[in-house]
Amino acid sequence: MTKVTMSVNGTERSGEVEGRTLLSAFLRDTLGLTGTHVGCDTGQCGACTVHVDGKSVKSCNMFALEADGASVTTIEGMANDDGSLGVIQQAFQDHHGLQCGFCTPGMVMAAAALLKENPKPSEAEVRAWLSGNLCRCTGYHNIVKAILAASGQDVSKEFAA
Amino acid sequence: MYAFEFERPRTLDEAVAALADDDAQALAGGQTLIPTLRQRLAMPGKLVSLTAIDALRGLSASGGVLTIGAATTHAEVAQQTDYPALAKLAGGIGDPHVRNRGTIGGSIANNDPSACYPAGVLGSGATVVTNRREIAADDYFTGLFETALDEGEIITAVNFPIPDKAAYAKFDQPASRFALVGVFVSKGKDGVRVAVTGASEGGVFRWAEAEAALASDFSAGALEGLSVDPEGMIGDIHGGPDYRAHLIGVMTRRAVAAAG
Ligand SMILES: Cc1cc2nc3c(=O)[nH]c(=O)nc-3n(C[C@H](O)[C@H](O)[C@H](O)COP(=O)(O)OP(=O)(O)OC[C@H]3O[C@@H](n4cnc5c(N)ncnc54)[C@H](O)[C@@H]3O)c2cc1C
Ligand code: FES
Ligand code: FES
């Protein structure tokens, strides 16, 4: 076992891990941050998406020791300081961007990474960006709508039913 | 996943020393290796991470050559502006999260027959630099998941001569995001190159007839009437050998048209 230390949602956290311990397992099992979901565990579905040093990664496809010294943000770090939902989370609720909610932590983390890089993405850019995040429920439409709304764009027209 | 030791050296020399063990293996972005380990298809006694070695990261362009450190991520290559066709290739690999971890060195060390970088490297006539030698792209890719690398040899960088014109046209396999067929074309001072990935059972290859036709007339029209023999092409549930052979023609014409 080796000691690993990283900043998680702004707080320094450490624990003992094996070489093969995945970042997703460290977050969920060692730190108890079960908001990061594990869907496929093979790097396909994106449910486990978190940010490492500001970049979105699939935490099931990265070893915890690779994040030693890094700054990690998970879905638990996305709420406002007073505990209310962050802008992207609120948009998912307002626009019905989730049904079962399994993919949602990964979707929100992916969206946050997109909006940081591209604050006003087009619908096509949002859809392309989500190519690594699978949702089995919504058909993506309301997820795309929520992300566009979170970017401050008017979604009433192009998404009118 | 079987257990293994884990090392994360800061210098290339330390990494080379750590990889001298017979059962040690390099780890770059892990986007291929971690799924492989999880399926217990590999059993290294020790993984040596290359991601903390500054000398293996970053890009620099000078004298018409773009040098990319082996541990540079697809996302970083997608952002450079010295070689736009290569930026587009890197930006089309997998998805944003895979691009933030996956590296050029890992991609060409693995040499998946459907991967994008092998086409870019062979189609540019690039040079693979290792801790021991320099290997021309034509000598580097030796077959399905096979390369000229020896045991313990580490790719340190790839040197791309920047061509006058180039483009990569990829027909996505929509589930995996790899290339069902991908074609990289370039026209530079050493002539025209056409490299095809995703199609052949032997891995990435150059399409010599297309190169000859394009050498005298670099236009999609020059490819009229040329076709690839389906013999030796991959056949799977996503497409048969005929289909892939046909797609090579289509994607080559698209790449030439995009290269302008
Ligand atoms: C969902 C998904 C979609 C993908 N889509 C695509 C796609 O569309 N196109 C595409 O081309 N690829 C795709 N990939 C593969 C991706 O590009 C990988 O990043 C790449 O193939 C391997 O790079 P890596 O840095 O992750 O290497 P790793 O997985 O860490 O290593 C791969 C192999 O290379 C060896 N290695 C690594 N670095 C070196 C080095 N410097 N010297 C010597 N040996 C080394 C390792 O020992 C290992 O054997 C996809 C992957 C995933 C998970
Ligand atoms: S659980 Fe990580 S990509 Fe599916
Ligand atoms: S809301 Fe159920 S998987 Fe996306």
Side-chain angles (χ1 to χ4, degrees):
Chain A
M1 301 287 264
T2 312
K3 187 175 176 197
V4 65
T5 304
M6 62 189 83
S7 154
V8 179
N9 302 325
T11 308
E12 187 162 300
R13 307 291 299 263
S14 50
E16 297 283 323
V17 295
E18 287 186 82
R20 62 180 168 177
T21 305
L22 298 165
L23 179 59
S24 52
F26 177 72
L27 292 171
R28 289 176 54 85
D29 304 339
T30 309
L31 302 186
L33 295 172
T34 52
T36 297
H37 290 172
V38 175
C40 63
D41 213 13
T42 55
Q44 306 290 328
C45 76
C48 65
T49 304
V50 302
H51 298 183
V52 175
D53 289 333
K55 308 261 183 222
S56 60
V57 305
K58 292 175 178 174
S59 61
C60 78
N61 229 7
M62 177 169 180
F63 293 117
L65 286 170
E66 286 280 289
D68 194 34
S71 170
V72 176
T73 308
T74 69
I75 189 68
E76 287 88 349
M78 295 305 283
N80 297 322
D81 289 342
D82 65 2
S84 60
L85 295 180
V87 173
I88 299 172
Q89 291 172 309
Q90 188 62 53
F92 270 67
Q93 185 178 76
D94 293 345
H95 297 278
H96 204 87
L98 63 150
Q99 289 179 26
C100 80
F102 196 86
C103 69
T104 313
M107 289 291 178
V108 170
M109 298 315 288
L114 169 65
L115 297 184
K116 203 168 79 175
E117 205 168 280
N118 183 356
K120 290 266 182 287
S122 67
E123 180 189 341
E125 285 170 336
V126 173
R127 289 188 189 276
W129 187 270
L130 295 182
S131 61
N133 292 79
L134 305 184
C135 175
R136 297 291 82 166
C137 302
T138 62
Y140 301 98
H141 198 64
N142 285 350
I143 293 176
V144 175
K145 189 175 180 178
I147 295 171
L148 289 171
S151 76
Q153 302 186 70
D154 177 12
V155 292
S156 55
K157 290 198 190 67
E158 60 266 51
F159 280 86
Chain B
M1 205 180 319
Y2 297 110
F4 47 79
E5 284 176 52
F6 188 91
E7 282 186 37
R8 199 157 180 250
R10 306 278 145 173
T11 68
L12 186 59
D13 287 347
E14 288 165 349
V16 170
L19 283 164
D21 279 4
D22 275 353
D23 67 345
Q25 188 172 358
L27 170 74
Q31 301 303 292
T32 295
L33 187 53
I34 296 176
T36 309
L37 291 169
R38 229 171 344 213
Q39 292 171 63
R40 296 191 164 181
L41 295 173
M43 241 183 95
K46 177 166 73 181
L47 281 195
V48 181
S49 167
L50 305 179
T51 58
I53 303 172
D54 287 341
L56 294 181
R57 296 195 81 128
L59 303 105
S60 66
S62 79
V65 174
L66 175 65
T67 299
I68 304 179
T72 307
T73 63
H74 307 330
E76 288 161 344
V77 176
Q79 271 159 19
Q80 55 79 29
T81 51
D82 293 298
Y83 191 173
L86 198 69
K88 191 140 181 288
L89 176 148
I93 293 176
D95 58 59
H97 325 310
V98 167
R99 294 196 288 274
N100 279 333
R101 294 294 303 162
T103 68
I104 183 169
S107 177
I108 64 170
N110 190 51
N111 193 18
D112 187 299
S114 301
C116 302
Y117 264 124
V121 169
L122 187 63
S124 304
T127 304
V128 179
V129 184
T130 77
N131 59 321
R132 295 178 196 163
R133 57 191 167 139
E134 298 198 351
I135 312 169
D138 287 320
D139 303 322
Y140 176 82
F141 300 101
T142 54
L144 207 67
F145 295 105
E146 297 282 339
T147 70
L149 292 178
D150 292 325
E151 279 298 312
E153 189 169 8
I154 304 178
I155 302 169
T156 56
V158 185
N159 292 332
F160 290 88
I162 300 170
D164 304 327
K165 295 179 173 185
Y168 179 59
K170 174 183 178 186
F171 195 94
D172 281 27
Q173 200 276 72
S176 77
R177 310 245 148 236
F178 278 75
L180 190 63
V181 168
V183 178
F184 195 97
V185 300
S186 75
K187 183 174 190 288
K189 66 178 183 344
D190 294 325
V192 173
R193 282 177 167 257
V194 177
V196 180
T197 190
S200 167
E201 287 175 344
V204 66
F205 69 96
R206 287 173 68 183
W207 185 14
E209 290 86 350
E211 290 181 356
L214 291 169
S216 50
D217 173 15
F218 193 79
S219 74
L223 299 163
E224 220 54 63
L226 289 188
S227 62
V228 176
D229 186 353
E231 181 71 33
M233 295 297 133
I234 299 170
D236 56 23
I237 55 165
H238 309 296
D242 290 9
Y243 182 62
R244 280 193 165 80
H246 176 72
L247 267 186
I248 294 172
V250 175
M251 300 322 281
T252 306
R253 288 193 293 276
R254 283 188 195 171
V256 172

